[in-house]
Each structure stands twice: as structure tokens, then as C-alpha cells.
Amino acid sequence: MTGNTNGIQIQGLVKRYGDFTAVSGIDLNIPDGCIFALLGPNGSGKTTTVRMLTGLLWPDEGDALVGGCSVRSDPRGVKRRIGVLPDGDALFPRITLLEHLRMEGLVRGLSEDETERRAEDLLRYLDLWEKRHVYADEGSVGMRKKLGIALALIHGPDVLVMDEPFEGLDPIAAARARDLVAATAVKKGTTVFLTSHLLALLDGLVDEVALISEGHIVRRSTVADMRLRGETLQSMYLAAFRAGSSMEEVPAWLV
């Protein structure tokens, strides 16, 4: 496979857990600087895809180029190019918010001065500066999510992969996180691959979207094409998945 320098190319990616196939041969080509959303119900294969793209899971078949590096043949290269916000948090409980960012910046090759500058910028923007000395396990869900976003961004990655970046954030924090994602794509040319159930926050943010169901890509579109058809993300999503819902009416005993 060959691909764009900062884009993502997925070819025939498969992941199985025993007899269950979580991701079933998906193909996606995401160009440089694109903000791309992979959407689908719980259990559809989104997080498994994210984990394969970030080197946390090994594909059973297929390959993906992330920032020009193969997840199969050059997983270390992938990890050098990306910033990751994983499903849940991957924080050290007894390290403060600021210490997390200091450690991440130095591990990523930033100087101490640059790490301090970027850490302060991110913590202030995300309204965490006054909480910078709080231990991770003492922070709220929202604080930990915002720290995760800062950790994913501090080194200025070429590719940003985010699993549910807005979940657990209050409206102001979600808006700020959304603006950070947009800015890194527009100003730096970072390619962004994200999943989210909060469709309203994706309107005006994402450039392209794909729907995944039972490990298969069932639809893909640019947002520009959707607008020409008079579609929104919500209408597209509901049209694809509502028909498969097992219960359309509220149970009678609840009303």
C-alpha cells in the first residue's frame, strides 16, 4: 500500500474475536487534512477500528496506512505520527494533570521549555489551569476527558484519532474541544479520525462521514454531498439505523 503523507488508507481490515467478526473487511481512504467521522450504534465496530489504527489491536487481515506508516509493518512509525484519545482514559492515577502533559511532551521529543509552553496553553484553553496540580484519579470525568484531549494534541500530531472526544463534557468544554479539533485540521493540516454519538457537535465540523454496522461500512458521504441532497447527519444516521431497532414504542407500563 502507498498513501497520503498525513492521510489514512484502510484496505480490507478485519478483526475477529473467536467466532465473532467485529470488523469485516472495511476499506476507507481519508485524505490529508480531512476531519472524518465513523458513526454507528454501540457494538458496530467503531472502537475496534480505532484500536487497530492506533496499534492497540493487531488486524487479522488487511492493513492500514496511518500518516504513511503501515499498522502491520511499521506500528512504531504509526505511533510516532499520531495523537490518540482512546475509549475511556489511560491516565496514571497519582500523577497530576500538569505532570501528565510534561511527561507526554518530553516522551514525544519536545524541549522542556516548549513542553511547558504548550501544556500551559492547552490547560488554560480547556479551563484546567487552576486544576493543574490535581491528581488524575481525583478529577471529574470531564476533567479527565479534557486532559486526554490535551495529551493527544500536545506534540502537534500529523494524524489525530479520537474515540468519543465529546462524551462526558459540559457544553462549553465540548465547544472548546470541537474548536481545537477544527483548528488543528485547518491550520496544521492534521487528518482527524473520530467517532461520536453526539451528532449535533459534528455538524459544521466534519468533512466526511461513514456509517458502520456489524463491522461493515454501509454508507459513506461527504458532508457537502449530504447538504446537496438535503440531508443532515442525524437524518442520515436515523434512516440507516432506525429500521433495525427492535422496539419503536415506549413500553406501555412506563406511560
Side-chain angles (χ1 to χ4, degrees), residues 149-165:
I149 292 169
L151 288 167
L153 288 169
I154 191 168
H155 57 295
D158 297 317
V159 179
L160 184 60
V161 183
M162 312 181 86
D163 201 355
E164 294 290 347

Side-chain angles (χ1 to χ4, degrees), residues 208-223:
E208 297 187 25
V209 60
L211 304 182
I212 187 170
S213 177
E214 298 181 343
H216 298 272
I217 300 297
V218 296
R219 186 171 172 190
R220 181 175 180 183
S221 179
T222 66
V223 172

